[in-house]
Amino acid sequence: MSAPLGLYVHVPFCTVKCSYCDFNSYAGIEDMQSAWLEAALREITLWSPSVAQREITTIFIGGGTPSLLEGESIHRLLDHSLASLQIAADAEITLEANPESVQLERLQAYRAAGVNRVSMGVQSLHAAELVFLDRIHSADRAEAAFSDIRRAGFDNVNIDLIYGLPGQSLESWQDTLERVINWHDSGPDHISCYALTVEEGTPLAARVAAGRVIEADPDRVADIADWTAQRLSDAGYEHYETSNYARPGRQCLHNLTYWRNQEYLAIGPGAHGFVDGLRYQVVRSPRLYIDRLTAAQTEPLLDDLPSPAIEAAERVSEWDHLIDTLTSGLRLMEGVELMSLPKPAERLRPTIEWAIANGLAQQHQGRLSLTKRGHAVANEIFVRLLEVNP
Ligand code: SF4
């Protein structure tokens, strides 16, 4: 069997659209849920012969808000994946959830369907911050949802948090994090702490441009990041990626696939996949996605790719693969194995030497990784790598 694959399934439904979100998610299209499911099942069927020799070791049902789906829908999705693809017996199967849509009965159905990891977007436990982000849950609801996730039998749970909100004090963030790591006595198994980024085209970006929102002071954001790394390390979480912390053995295996620049199949509207050296993108519009997969004419638009919902694809050059490996792998504390890099990596030597000489990177036992200072200015290092001529 060839190298394993991850599988990403994109669920485009949300209850409301958050002001900062640039994911391919939509509020008010719930009536498309059953058509979306049929289209996704069809897409899996179409991919099946092409990836028959690849074992699927992780599945990530993301979005959007997959916890809006009934247990029966997740059952059908996973049963069909099992019947059509080579799913490893011990595959990590994650489902993303939001506190307001988490229900005990549904969680139990997800568990029975084979989901073994839940990732819940909490972001903050402060009412004003939640309002700023357009989140519709309360702190109490988030904690109750976490208890329900545990009660449903999930022993691998991630909580997403966001820091660096405009005007957010260190104390406010500390209060959110302290409460989360003490939920249900021992807290979650994995915590993702993302600094708020203002993404182009979002309502938040418009508010910033109009001067109605002033972005957080970068020094304060850096202080929060430093405190977070120390606090979570003290609480027994390993800082294994720029924004991610895990209890021993609880790293997110699916996301490691991305950071290690390994291949993954992706289905669902707007999903990006990487299979057999090709990076591809599925059409973003849920309506078009459904139409292309359910129309009688199902010829693929692009050669080599079986799904007619794929609208763009390109073969990754050796140089681009190298740059992708470095810019994603250096986000990991483990860094990248130098021996595994293809020959053109020699052209990056001066940039790597510059990073080492400036205390931003280190070379140890054949691996290149960023130092603490390097992680703080990782984007600057990545820009320098991208500027090197292939
Ligand atoms: S719930 Fe998540 S995916 Fe949906 S709009 Fe908000 S941030 Fe985006």
Side-chain angles (χ1 to χ4, degrees), residues 10-27 62-66 96-98 100 121 123 133-136 162:
H10 189 75
V11 179
F13 311 106
C14 281
T15 309
V16 296
K17 184 75 183 172
C18 302
S19 61
Y20 61 95
C21 176
D22 74 337
F23 297 139
N24 191 38
S25 62
Y26 306 83
T65 307
E96 281 192 323
N98 277 326
E100 71 280 358
Q123 321 312 358
L133 294 168
D134 290 328
R135 304 297 299 210
I136 52 176
I162 296 182

Side-chain angles (χ1 to χ4, degrees), residues 341-353:
L341 299 177
K343 214 167 168 9
E346 282 160 23
R347 258 172 276 152
L348 296 170
R349 234 322 122 192
T351 311
I352 291 172
E353 296 297 350

Side-chain angles (χ1 to χ4, degrees), residues 183-203:
W183 273 353
H184 226 262
D185 295 335
S186 55
D189 312 281
H190 186 288
I191 304 183
S192 302
C193 300
Y194 298 106
L196 178 70
T197 48
V198 179
E199 303 289 352
E200 233 176 90
T202 59

Side-chain angles (χ1 to χ4, degrees), residues 163-183:
Y163 64 91
L165 308 184
Q168 183 184 45
S169 65
L170 175 60
E171 291 70 27
S172 168
W173 166 254
Q174 288 172 328
D175 179 66
T176 289
L177 192 67
E178 289 294 346
R179 282 155 72 188
V180 166
I181 61 182
N182 285 299
W183 273 353

